[in-house]
C-alpha cells in the first residue's frame, strides 16, 4: 500500500497499523516533546500516548491501533505550530486585548 509520511511517498503492507508502517519506513514514530529522544511506541495496545501521530487533517491518532489506508497522509510531528499560537494568545491576553485575530 502507498501512503504519505511527512509529505514523502512511503509504502507498507496491507493490514499494517500506522505504527508498523511508520517504523518500517522511519525507524521511529516521533520525537519526544520532552526532548529525550525518538519514540517507537510503548504499550502497543492504545493505552499510553507514546505513539500519537497526526493524520492529513491534523487530527491526532494512535498509530498502534489505527489501520493504514491506501493513500493516507500522516505526520510524525504536528502539522501546525500550536506552541507559537499559544504564546501569541497568551501575550494577547496579557496585553489586555479582548479579541484574538
Amino acid at each position: 500500500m502507498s501512503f504519505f509520511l511527512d509529505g514523502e511517498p512511503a509504502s507498507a503492507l496491507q493490514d499494517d497499523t500506522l505504527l508498523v508502517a511508520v517504523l518500517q519506513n522511519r525507524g521511529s514514530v516521533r520525537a519526544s516533546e520532552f526532548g529525550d529522544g525518538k519514540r517507537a511506541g510503548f504499550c502497543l495496545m492504545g493505552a499510553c500516548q507514546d505513539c500519537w501521530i497526526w493524520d492529513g487533517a491534523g487530527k491526532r491518532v494512535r498509530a498502534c491501533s489505527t489501520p493504514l489506508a491506501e493513500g493516507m497522509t500522516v505526520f510524525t510531528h504536528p502539522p501546525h505550530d500550536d506552541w507559537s499560537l499559544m504564546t501569541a494568545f497568551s501575550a494577547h491576553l496579557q496585553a489586555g486585548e479582548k479579541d484574538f485575530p
Side-chain angles (χ1 to χ4, degrees):
M1 298 180 72
S2 62
F3 70 106
F4 294 92
L5 178 56
D6 293 331
E8 300 291 324
S11 63
L13 299 175
Q14 186 173 347
D15 299 323
D16 276 352
T17 62
L18 288 177
L19 182 65
V20 171
V22 171
L23 289 175
Q24 178 182 357
N25 284 274
R26 287 284 166 84
S28 65
V29 178
R30 64 181 183 85
S32 171
E33 62 270 44
F34 303 109
D36 59 350
K38 295 181 178 183
R39 310 302 299 171
F42 180 71
C43 74
L44 308 178
M45 62 181 194
C48 73
Q49 298 179 18
D50 201 52
C51 70
W52 283 116
I53 61 174
W54 293 263
D55 67 11
K59 179 183 168 195
R60 288 190 333 160
V61 295
R62 291 183 193 273
C64 69
S65 58
T66 303
L68 177 67
E70 180 69 35
M72 187 177 228
T73 296
V74 294
F75 297 96
T76 59
H77 52 81
H80 45 79
D81 186 0
D82 289 333
W83 287 112
S84 292
L85 181 61
M86 289 178 66
T87 300
F89 181 65
S90 177
H92 185 81
L93 290 176
Q94 289 177 358
E97 300 171 12
K98 295 182 181 180
D99 295 323
F100 187 67

